[in-house]
Amino acid sequence: MFKKVCLAGLVATVFSFAQEETYIRNICDTLSVSATPKVELKLKRVEETVWYGSRDLKKTDSVKVNVHEDYSTITPIMQKTSLRIPYSIDAGCVSSNYNLFKYGEWDQNGKKWTLNDENDDYGSWIIDVNLYNIPGFDSTNSNNVLVVKKGGVNSEELSFSADDLMVSRTFEFAFDSWQAIVLGRVKKSDGGALLYSGSAFRLDSADAVAAALAAFNKREDVPDSLSKIQVQVLRPVLTDPNKKAVNSSSSVAESSSSEAKSSSSVVSSSSVESSSSVEPESSESSTAIGRLQATPRAFGAARAIRRLDGSVVKAGEQLVPGVYYVKGVDGRWKKQVELP
């Protein structure tokens, strides 16, 4: 039912570094040598967009955006539907099994949310996107992919369903996924209504909506006269609660505002699925964030630099020792270390 995503291992490229250089790519470079190689990821928020408009998605009548800190405040537009919101999972950068995965599950009969916190038959794995090629995701738009799979994870079998995965976007250590519901209503003569729906789970908002709409349109009982539909898109986000909250360009407020501005475009993609085939890269340099070396103590206006939380370092600002994202001449963001 869900698209399969296959991951291919990349051939490691050996780098020679001067003594003053450091190579730190992402969270997996830290967790792999940490005394506590796992983090507990918990639900931070669920971003909800409810869209209403034409069946072909070309005309928008209304858009509403909500941010839920508690998934139980979400009301599915289709009561008889299957929904699952991830709540918490322990994960590290090596595959691990027998983990307790907690998730909110929509009770279609009771029309309420229940927390499933008893199933410990799950495997988890945080994957460095620089080491595995994942269609649609590389170091320009992602840092890691989180696998949460019932029955366990085998690191030698790199093929997963889309509903087993969540993605951490660039500048963040926050994993998200997307669920979409398309609902159509046809009024009956007695005042009631006939309901028709389609749903999908994907790693991208536009793909989720397109796949849900495709499932809706495949139904043979949907009348051609139905011209208006409602679309609900849910984006649950898992984060490490021990990480300090960021008030920057990656803040919830800006994310919500951005979602509201782009809601009409979110539901206008005609692409249902991206290619699931995987081609190994010829070298790590094509997808790796890059080689790190010392940078000037203060940078000029010609370079674009961000902190790891995504906030912008202003031109002329003094850099404190640490790791930064620096935009290269090829347009890719690379991590660089500022030494003391």
Side-chain angles (χ1 to χ4, degrees):
M1 180 170 62
F2 295 108
K3 177 180 65 177
K4 284 284 186 179
V5 177
C6 299
L7 315 180
L10 300 181
V11 178
T13 301
V14 179
F15 292 91
S16 297
F17 298 104
Q19 290 184 348
E20 71 272 18
E21 293 177 341
T22 308
Y23 194 74
I24 301 174
R25 197 157 43 195
N26 63 23
I27 189 64
C28 287
D29 293 314
T30 303
L31 286 179
S32 60
V33 295
S34 172
T36 54
K38 283 187 179 182
V39 293
E40 182 184 19
L41 301 169
K42 290 187 175 181
L43 182 67
K44 176 67 175 178
R45 63 185 183 273
V46 181
E47 298 174 9
E48 176 195 27
T49 300
V50 180
W51 180 94
Y52 181 75
S54 62
R55 182 172 173 177
D56 59 7
L57 305 179
K58 293 181 179 180
K59 182 180 178 181
T60 301
D61 291 347
S62 66
V63 179
K64 294 181 180 179
V65 178
N66 299 301
V67 177
H68 302 265
E69 295 185 358
D70 184 346
Y71 66 85
S72 65
T73 61
I74 299 170
T75 302
I77 59 174
M78 182 65 180
Q79 301 291 298
K80 292 289 184 178
T81 190
S82 177
L83 281 177
R84 188 180 76 176
I85 302 294
Y87 185 77
S88 69
I89 185 70
D90 288 342
C93 292
V94 293
S95 58
S96 174
N97 294 321
Y98 307 107
N99 294 319
L100 175 61
F101 176 43
K102 300 179 183 180
Y103 55 90
E105 194 170 26
W106 178 251
D107 182 349
Q108 300 182 36
N109 296 320
K111 297 181 181 180
K112 64 180 181 179
W113 290 96
T114 59
L115 179 64
N116 186 323
D117 58 357
E118 298 180 351
N119 197 332
D120 60 0
D121 185 25
Y122 277 85
S124 65
W125 186 18
I126 297 174
I127 297 175
D128 181 349
V129 298
N130 299 279
L131 301 181
Y132 298 89
N133 189 14
I134 305 170
F137 301 97
D138 58 33
S139 60
T140 62
N141 62 9
S142 311
N143 284 331
N144 301 92
V145 168
L146 171 65
V147 180
V148 181
K149 184 177 181 181
K150 186 173 177 59
V153 174
N154 183 350
S155 59
E156 296 181 358
E157 297 179 5
L158 302 177
S159 179
F160 305 99
S161 295
D163 59 326
D164 295 331
L165 306 177
M166 299 184 76
V167 176
S168 177
R169 310 296 165 173
T170 304
F171 304 136
E172 296 181 354
F173 185 59
F175 295 92
D176 67 15
S177 57
W178 301 84
Q179 302 176 49
I181 303 172
V182 172
L183 176 66
R185 293 182 175 87
V186 175
K187 292 183 179 180
K188 296 166 52 177
S189 57
D190 60 3
L194 295 173
L195 303 179
Y196 306 91
S197 67
S199 63
F201 185 109
R202 292 290 187 271
L203 303 181
D204 174 83
S205 58
D207 282 352
V209 171
L213 181 60
F216 176 84
N217 287 329
K218 284 180 181 179
R219 295 186 52 152
E220 296 181 354
D221 56 343
V222 178
D224 294 336
S225 59
L226 196 158
S227 60
K228 299 284 187 177
I229 60 172
Q230 192 174 18
V231 181
Q232 183 179 39
V233 182
L234 300 176
R235 179 202 180 202
V237 181
L238 292 182
T239 66
D240 177 2
N242 295 317
K243 182 179 178 182
K244 185 178 179 181
V246 176
N247 294 319
S248 68
S249 59
S250 60
S251 65
V252 177
E254 181 160 326
S255 176
S256 301
S257 174
S258 173
E259 190 76 18
K261 293 176 182 177
S262 61
S263 295
S264 60
S265 62
V266 164
V267 296
S268 64
S269 171
S270 60
S271 173
V272 176
E273 295 184 355
S274 59
S275 173
S276 59
S277 62
V278 177
E279 293 295 333
E281 301 291 339
S282 58
S283 69
E284 185 177 333
S285 61
S286 59
T287 56
I289 290 179
R291 183 179 180 180
L292 310 181
Q293 58 187 5
T295 60
R297 295 296 296 175
F299 85 102
R303 307 184 77 184
I305 297 180
R306 290 178 178 264
R307 299 178 184 85
L308 291 186
D309 62 21
S311 60
V312 176
V313 179
K314 297 179 180 178
E317 183 176 344
Q318 191 78 7
L319 295 178
V320 298
V323 183
Y324 296 85
Y325 287 102
V326 179
K327 192 171 185 179
V329 293
D330 59 355
R332 291 175 177 265
W333 288 91
K334 305 175 188 297
K335 277 186 178 177
Q336 257 180 241
V337 171
E338 169 63 17
L339 298 177

